[in-house]
Amino acid sequence: MLANAVLRPALRTSLLRSRLITATPCPLQYQRTMSSIQTIQTPNAPAAIGPYSQAVVANGFLYTAGQLGFDPKKMDFVAGGIKEQTEQALKNLKAILEAAGTSVDKVVKTTIFLKDMNDFNAMNKEYTKAFGSARPARSAVQAARLPRDALVEIEAVALV
């Protein structure tokens, strides 16, 4: 893209008509083309059950879909309660991170959705085990309802 501010008026009008530039000048840093988006799929985490990917890599970051406490082989919840579902959701998350060539120590942000905020302490124990000394930014909220009535769903953003 050409910087709008340096164009002669006639050339600028011609480029606007051909849609090679926008009417509003953009800072030079935004005129570069976006890098490609790569999808991540691994059999070690549950397959997407809708029109989405397990994760995508864009501009050096991995964005995961929310992970439930699903056993990827059975495509059903692991037996037990919040402890077991959290542990499995984190295993699924780790599998996706590894498939993308990254790890929990490169996670910069997680979001945790809980069916019941009273399960926070039990979830937090499993989360602490999985992340060790890594301390990404995190949000945890109670959701009115999670997919397939899950007890917990966890998503992450990581450096690749």
Side-chain angles (χ1 to χ4, degrees):
M1 293 291 272
L2 300 171
N4 291 340
V6 297
L7 298 176
R8 292 182 318 235
L11 177 59
R12 185 173 190 280
T13 301
S14 172
L15 291 173
L16 278 169
R17 285 188 185 129
S18 62
R19 297 182 185 264
L20 291 175
I21 64 170
T22 60
T24 307
C26 297
L28 208 46
Q29 67 195 34
Y30 294 110
Q31 294 178 6
R32 296 184 209 136
T33 58
M34 282 189 59
S35 66
S36 63
I37 295 174
Q38 174 190 1
T39 60
I40 303 297
Q41 293 293 117
T42 177
N44 299 323
I49 54 174
Y52 62 91
S53 300
Q54 288 173 327
V56 297
V57 175
N59 294 324
F61 285 94
L62 173 77
Y63 301 87
T64 72
Q67 296 303 303
L68 305 175
F70 265 33
D71 178 321
K73 305 295 185 240
K74 296 178 183 175
M75 283 301 288
D76 204 0
F77 289 112
V78 294
I82 187 66
K83 176 191 180 306
E84 293 79 10
Q85 282 194 29
T86 300
E87 183 179 41
Q88 185 63 50
L90 290 164
K91 283 180 185 176
N92 296 339
L93 189 65
K94 282 184 178 183
I96 293 168
L97 292 167
E98 289 171 7
T102 191
S103 61
V104 294
D105 61 315
K106 299 281 178 98
V107 173
V108 296
K109 172 76 166 84
T110 59
T111 306
I112 300 170
F113 304 93
L114 292 164
K115 180 177 181 178
D116 185 347
M117 195 54 86
N118 291 319
D119 289 336
F120 181 87
N121 288 335
M123 173 280 299
N124 204 42
K125 285 179 185 175
E126 296 307 309
Y127 181 94
T128 301
K129 288 179 197 174
F131 277 88
S133 63
R135 295 291 185 258
R138 179 177 83 177
S139 300
V141 297
Q142 180 171 313
R145 189 169 182 199
L146 295 172
R148 303 215 23 212
D149 293 319
L151 301 178
V152 63
E153 182 174 5
I154 304 172
E155 64 184 31
V157 178
L159 293 170
V160 178

